[in-house]
Amino acid sequence: MTVYGLLVDYEWCTGCQSCEVSCKEEHGYPVGKWGIRVLEDGPWEIDDTQANWNKIPVPSDLCDLCANRTAQGRQPICVHHCLADVLQYGPVEELVKRFEEKPKQALFVPQFKPKEARGAFVSKNRAAGKVASFAAVAVEANTDFDIAGHRRPDEEVEADMAVSVILTDSIKTRSEDE
Amino acid sequence: MNYVNGRQATSLGETNDLGKPWRYKDGDLTVTRSCPWSPPGCHPVGCGLKLYVDKEGTLVKVEGDENQPITGGRLCVRCITLKDYVYNPSRIIHPQKRDPQFRGQADKWEQITWDEAFDLMVSEVTKVKEKYGPESIVLFTGTGREGGTMKPMGAAVFGTPNYCYTQSGYACYAPRLAGTSYVMGAPDPEIDYAAAFKNRYDEEGYVLSECVILWGKDPLPSNPDGLFGHALIDMMKRGTRLITVDPRLTWLATKADYALRLRPGTDTALAMAMLHVIISEDLYDHDFIEYWTYGFEELAERVATMPPEKAAEITGVPVEDIYGAARMYARAAPAGIAWGLAVDQNPNGSQLGHCILDLMAVTGNIDVPGGQIIGGAGEGQQETGFGWSAMPTETADKMIGLKEFPAYCNAILDAHADMVLETLETEKPYPLRFGYYAGNNLLAATCAAQPKRWHDAMLKSLDYCVTLDCFMTPSAQATCDLFLPLAASPEREGTVANHYGATPTFLGITNKAIDFGEGKSDTEFCYELGKRLNPKVWSKYEDVYAYIKALRFGNKKDFATARKEVGWQREIEYHKFETGKCRQDGKLGFNTPTGRFEFYSTLFQSFGDDPLPYYLEPPYSPQKTPELLEKYPLVLTTGARTYAFFHSENRQIPFCRELNPDPLVEINPALAHRLGIADGQWVRIWNQFGSCKMKAKLTIAVDERTLMAQHGWWFPEADPDKTNPEGEYNVWLANINELVPHFHVGKMGWGAPFKCLLANIEPLNENYDTDMQEIWEKFGKLVR
Ligand code: SF4
Ligand code: SF4
Ligand code: SF4
């Protein structure tokens, strides 16, 4: 299946937000929801003579690559309205070729509503019968069963404690040295 | 790569609407192609729209029209959300009246019919005319709406000379237009983005600008004066390099070879120094100067008084950058300068404008491909004086400010803004009793300094006040007695000439796609009211189309033909001064008293100003008024543009508001840290003239001595009544124009310091954040 994406020439994205608002109008996304957002890195100074300020449109999880429009052969509405003309839509295979034309480009292959796209949980392993199986053996009852804890002889317990005192002392000595 | 209408062909794909007629079917929908303009307000860019209308006549979709030769279907968010404007639940689509004694009371409006509205207009106008004379009528015009350009409304409909753009010093565009007409006899030099050509940048004979200076202009969000801002991006992709002159580090400034970040208001010093570098290093165009200009020696002498070292001290721009930028601009061939509003919003702006024109001239960039394009003889002037002859001379002579500021008042046939405010306050030389808003919302920090003074003066002086608008504004709520519904652009017919027709490369047709409500366009209202108030003049037009034909097409074309073309490029010619096409008398040269481009301006001189440029400090600045620094230690600049809004418009459009929910003031992070201001915290900003509250945005876009505050704010979701302590719709909450003083204009009356003031700032504990859910609930459910 051909994979489609959005190629962004972020050298010239001006942050006009026409993509954001076009997408909302096209899809009826209300206040607070977006199909694409323009992220901003900057301005901050690289040195006295130059500053970094990139605006990068990033499709959200509500970008469906304008399925209704592209089905009719139209370009996505963000591409159509982009004031700086920096968005391109097409098969990823063709878009990647344009990476060689110039620097400062990015390619996005969005996923519309990833949670929905994942679908409800269905165990593939179970469907494929990949579940653990167990030996079919008859087990007898335990006749010598005791719920009480296991007790050791006193001298064994004392020996264990002596070791832990030595350890504590050596930790103390180290921290005093410091 | 293939390009179509200025953009990559691949962006339009193989299925597109190229070549479609002005109206066509797409499935069940009827599509009307249109170049919208006003309202919503915008600069006249003439972007193309496809308006999709269903069988019920409802506008269901808006898309950019790829047939538009300059934009190729690209749109900004304000047209993308056009549906939400048209069908906004707060839109007013019927006339309504209110007894003048109830001004400011939001619940006292009463819906009426248009007939009743016209009757009221006629009786109120007649009353005022009989009692006080026609000059007692004043029009308050705004910007970016057709109403503001409807000059005949003053002279030929109301019969008053007092048509008044209310911004102090007319600090918007007109000072540049006037300066250009004084100095070279043309209205406005625009950069050449090949907008006139079918093949655009690939047209034979066109040469791409190697360098563009953006001087006090951020064209991407503003599309200033109808220049399609993103054409700069088209040009830069093809290789144009940039110099920016702006106190702020804008996004474009980060892409520039030189970002000259000067102290606000000191631009003239920088421009003089750049001229000095170019002249003293012999980087100028000898032929152009020798044959086509006047006063070069005098200019050279004058700018020698401003060496780059001195300018560096004044402006704060590193001296090597002044040299570097001047050399880069002079060596580029061709090169353009796009000058912006900062030229006007400065009392020293006429001199700055003169210097910038001089820069274009000394480098031989005037009227050449890729340099500056200029309109031919008479271009852009026809509409200004339209209907003026209908007024008796003795009435015309009563225009407020005509005697004091003839340069201003005669150039644009406008009453002087600052003097109109004083006339409202003092009733001298005569009272103003009837007001009409022509596309204006002046109280909302748009085009008026000291809006509270305007508010009080209007309430005191005006017996009757009327507005024609789409939405109730705080200005209308506070001061108007009659509200008339205005048709939005999809509901009306009209024209849009880019660059305000001054250097036109495109004429667009606004086509009507829907009927909604009872709105009338400014043109229709002008015509219909004219027929009633001044039938002698208006009976010569048998219908509104005859009026459009005369006003917009110079009687050369019918609207019925024009609408089908939707828009057309206007062929331009270069080197017109060498063919006699710049002068009304058809002789070679420029349309000035000397017939040359005037470095030494004989008209500046005749208006009582210095014929040569000079530097003046802003009226309140660290150098001019150091004694104020203790109280107001920061330089305040206002009004940087956003994509979301056109001045005071679009606040009730949820998807626009969402991009910029709150009024912002930009502050440098280091300064904010010293003052204990956090990012997103609300602050108070104040100076000796006023105070307001905004939300701090921490950014290195401004330096540590400078604040930049947004303008145009009001809150359509807030309490509309005058009992609201922050004023109707919270209009006084974030009103930055309260900090802008009255009447600090240049010698000729032009320019005011909206962008160069002093102020102080402090953090607040309160939070006034906009609740976007409230905006969505109030304005998101469209009414159809
Ligand atoms: S491709 Fe369509 S859905 Fe995706 S961001 Fe652009 S406009 Fe939105
Ligand atoms: S529309 Fe284009 S230029 Fe504008 S923000 Fe989006 S990607 Fe950037
Ligand atoms: S610039 Fe003006 S005409 Fe063009 S899309 Fe924006 S609002 Fe519409």
Side-chain angles (χ1 to χ4, degrees), chain A residues 83, chain B residues 35-37 40-49 71 74-80 221-223 228 643 646 650:
Chain A
L83 277 175
Chain B
C35 298
W37 183 47
C42 182
H43 290 276
V45 188
C47 300
L49 288 188
T71 58
R74 294 176 277 179
L75 292 181
C76 85
V77 298
R78 302 189 302 276
C79 268
I80 292 170
S222 64
N223 300 297
F228 173 56
Y643 288 102
F646 183 75
N650 317 91

Side-chain angles (χ1 to χ4, degrees), chain A residues 13-14 18 22 24-25 29-32 34 43 53 69 73-75 79-85 88 98, chain B residues 7-8 10-11 15 17 63-64 73-75 80-81 84 230 237 249 251 255 643 655 658-659 700 776:
Chain A
C13 168
T14 59
S18 284
S22 296
K24 288 168 78 101
E25 289 282 352
Y29 295 149
V31 153
W34 314 80
W53 197 348
R69 290 178 61 88
R74 301 260 169 186
Q75 297 297 297
V79 173
H80 187 84
H81 284 153
C82 173
L83 277 175
D85 200 18
Q88 294 287 304
R98 295 189 67 170
Chain B
R7 63 188 308 191
Q8 302 169 70
T10 45
S11 310
T15 307
D17 297 318
E63 195 172 302
R74 294 176 277 179
L75 292 181
I80 292 170
T81 55
D84 314 340
H230 279 74
K237 284 181 183 172
L249 184 71
W251 178 83
K255 316 298 164 213
Y643 288 102
F655 294 165
E658 194 178 19
L659 307 180
I700 63 157
W776 182 239

Side-chain angles (χ1 to χ4, degrees), chain B residues 128-322:
Chain B
V128 167
K129 276 191 175 173
E130 278 168 6
K131 198 156 168 205
Y132 305 100
E135 66 276 12
S136 282
I137 297 170
V138 56
L139 287 85
F140 306 114
T141 75
T143 187
R145 287 272 194 94
E146 192 190 34
T149 66
M150 199 50 63
K151 277 269 162 170
M153 196 73 181
V157 174
F158 287 111
T160 176
N162 290 320
Y163 193 90
C164 172
Y165 177 63
T166 50
Q167 186 162 31
S168 178
Y170 208 129
C172 170
Y173 194 47
R176 276 172 286 158
L177 288 188
T180 316
S181 65
Y182 306 154
V183 168
M184 69 168 161
D188 185 42
E190 191 51 87
I191 56 164
D192 188 1
Y193 53 106
F197 309 122
K198 190 162 180 306
N199 297 321
R200 299 296 310 280
Y201 303 100
D202 302 322
E203 180 87 8
E204 222 184 285
Y206 173 76
V207 187
L208 182 73
S209 320
E210 287 192 312
C211 165
V212 168
I213 303 185
L214 296 176
W215 200 303
K217 189 166 192 142
D218 190 12
L220 301 181
S222 64
N223 300 297
D225 316 319
L227 153 69
F228 173 56
H230 279 74
L232 262 300
I233 302 295
D234 298 346
M235 293 169 80
M236 290 168 78
K237 284 181 183 172
R238 287 169 171 80
T240 300
R241 304 273 285 257
L242 216 58
I243 295 169
T244 57
V245 181
D246 195 319
R248 294 167 76 228
L249 184 71
T250 60
W251 178 83
L252 268 176
T254 64
K255 316 298 164 213
D257 287 80
Y258 290 96
L260 307 178
R261 297 182 63 185
L262 73 184
R263 174 163 63 88
T266 61
D267 307 52
T268 313
L270 176 68
M272 288 175 74
M274 287 174 69
L275 278 165
H276 179 63
V277 173
I278 293 168
I279 295 172
S280 63
E281 297 187 1
D282 194 8
L283 298 172
Y284 55 90
D285 190 305
H286 288 249
D287 284 347
F288 184 78
I289 285 168
E290 184 171 346
Y291 295 106
W292 302 102
T293 68
Y294 177 76
F296 180 67
E297 298 303 319
E298 289 89 338
L299 174 74
E301 220 171 277
R302 175 60 62 88
V303 296
T305 64
M306 185 61 77
E309 291 68 23
K310 184 170 164 193
E313 230 164 79
I314 295 171
T315 60
V317 175
V319 69
E320 61 277 12
D321 285 2
I322 301 179

Side-chain angles (χ1 to χ4, degrees), chain B residues 673-745:
Chain B
H673 184 73
R674 279 207 301 283
L675 300 175
I677 296 169
D679 194 23
Q681 184 169 11
W682 281 77
V683 293
R684 188 169 80 95
I685 316 160
W686 76 99
N687 66 10
Q688 64 272 51
F689 306 108
S691 147
C692 75
K693 302 184 184 91
M694 289 200 172
K695 184 172 164 133
K697 177 182 175 183
L698 272 52
T699 169
I700 63 157
V702 287
D703 68 21
E704 288 182 49
R705 295 156 307 174
T706 309
L707 301 173
M708 191 293 294
Q710 291 184 342
H711 76 304
W713 276 92
W714 62 289
F715 301 82
E717 69 279 12
D719 179 2
D721 205 82
K722 70 171 178 188
T723 49
N724 177 348
E726 295 290 357
E728 291 87 349
Y729 299 106
N730 286 357
V731 66
W732 307 122
L733 177 74
N735 200 312
I736 197 68
N737 282 6
E738 278 296 285
L739 283 75
V740 182
H742 168 69
F743 227 153
H744 283 289
V745 301

Side-chain angles (χ1 to χ4, degrees), chain A residues 123-146:
Chain A
S123 170
K124 282 188 211 143
N125 289 340
R126 190 164 296 282
K130 284 192 216 154
V131 282
S133 58
F134 304 94
V137 186
V139 176
E140 284 174 15
N142 190 346
T143 52
D144 188 20
F145 178 73
D146 181 1

Side-chain angles (χ1 to χ4, degrees), chain A residues 23 27 35-36 63-66 76-78:
Chain A
C23 183
H27 295 81
I36 187 166
C63 169
D64 64 354
L65 285 171
C66 283
I77 196 67
C78 58

